[in-house]
C-alpha cells in the first residue's frame, strides 16, 4: 500500500519545523510513495489609516511566496528521507483552509502537523492545528 503524506511547515517558526523532521522520517519508511511539504503565506492586512504619510515597503504576495518557497526548500533538505517523491507547495491564504484543501486535493492519507507548546497553552492545540484535526478527512499526527 502506498501513501501520501502532507506535511505543513510554518517557515517562520524553525523550531516547529524541526520538531516534525523525525516523525516525517519515521512515517516515510512505511510504504510511502509521496511526501508533500506545504507552506502557507498569510497576506498582510492593509490599514491605510496606520500608513498615513509614511512610506513603508509591504512585500507583495509573490515576494512572500518566493521567500517562503526558498525557506521551505532549505528546511526540507534537513529531512533524511528514503526513496520517496517529495513535492514543495507554497500557497497564500488562511493556513487551516489551505492545509485542508491541499489534503483533499491530494487525497492525503496522513497529515503530520506540529503544534505550538508554550507554558500558558501547554494543554491546548494551536487554532490552526485544532481546525485541521477537527475537519480533516484523513488521519492527523500532531507533533509536540
Amino acid at each position: 500500500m502506498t501513501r501520501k503524506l502532507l506535511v505543513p511547515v510554518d517557515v517562520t517558526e524553525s523550531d516547529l519545523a524541526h520538531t516534525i523532521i523525525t516523525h516525517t522520517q519515521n512515517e516515510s519508511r512505511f510504504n510511502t510513495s509521496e511526501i508533500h511539504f506545504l507552506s502557507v503565506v498569510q497576506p498582510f492586512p492593509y490599514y491605510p489609516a496606520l500608513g498615513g504619510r509614511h512610506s513603508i515597503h509591504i512585500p507583495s504576495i509573490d515576494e512572500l511566496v518566493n521567500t517562503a518557497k526558498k525557506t521551505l526548500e532549505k528546511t526540507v533538505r534537513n529531512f533524511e528521507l528514503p526513496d520517496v517523491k517529495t513535492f514543495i507547495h507554497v500557497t497564500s491564504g488562511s493556513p487551516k483552509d489551505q492545509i485542508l484543501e491541499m489534503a483533499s486535493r491530494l487525497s492525503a492519507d496522513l497529515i503530520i502537523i506540529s503544534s505550538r507548546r508554550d507554558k500558558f497553552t501547554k494543554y491546548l492545540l494551536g487554532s490552526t492545528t485544532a481546525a485541521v484535526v477537527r475537519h480533516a478527512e484523513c488521519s492527523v499526527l500532531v507533533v509536540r
Side-chain angles (χ1 to χ4, degrees):
M1 180 179 128
T2 58
R3 299 185 316 158
K4 290 183 184 178
L5 304 182
L6 175 61
V7 184
V9 177
D10 183 348
V11 296
T12 64
E13 304 248 2
S14 62
D15 290 343
L16 288 178
H18 291 303
T19 61
I20 60 174
I21 290 176
T22 303
H23 296 280
T24 303
Q25 290 169 336
N26 289 339
E27 285 294 327
S28 70
R29 291 187 177 101
F30 299 108
N31 298 322
T32 300
S33 61
E34 297 177 1
I35 300 177
H36 295 262
F37 292 93
L38 170 66
S39 183
V40 181
V41 173
Q42 296 182 69
F44 289 113
Y46 177 66
Y47 300 107
L50 295 176
R53 295 184 182 148
H54 302 288
S55 175
I56 60 171
H57 173 70
I58 298 177
S60 69
I61 286 294
D62 291 338
E63 289 175 295
L64 294 171
V65 166
N66 288 335
T67 301
K69 185 172 183 179
K70 289 176 186 173
T71 305
L72 183 58
E73 288 170 344
K74 185 177 173 183
T75 301
V76 169
R77 284 189 218 116
N78 292 320
F79 290 70
E80 294 176 12
L81 301 170
D83 290 335
V84 295
K85 296 178 184 174
T86 59
F87 300 88
I88 303 286
H89 306 275
V90 179
T91 62
S92 64
S94 161
K96 65 178 169 34
D97 294 338
Q98 294 300 316
I99 293 167
L100 293 168
E101 183 179 313
M102 182 66 71
S104 179
R105 187 178 332 132
L106 296 171
S107 298
D109 297 296
L110 177 65
I111 299 171
I112 302 175
I113 190 168
S114 59
S115 181
R116 286 183 173 82
R117 188 173 192 174
D118 57 30
K119 292 177 184 174
F120 181 70
T121 59
K122 69 180 182 181
Y123 297 107
L124 303 174
L125 294 176
S127 60
T128 298
T129 303
V132 170
V133 169
R134 264 193 315 275
H135 300 289
E137 296 176 359
C138 63
S139 297
V140 179
L141 172 61
V142 179
V143 179
R144 290 194 174 252

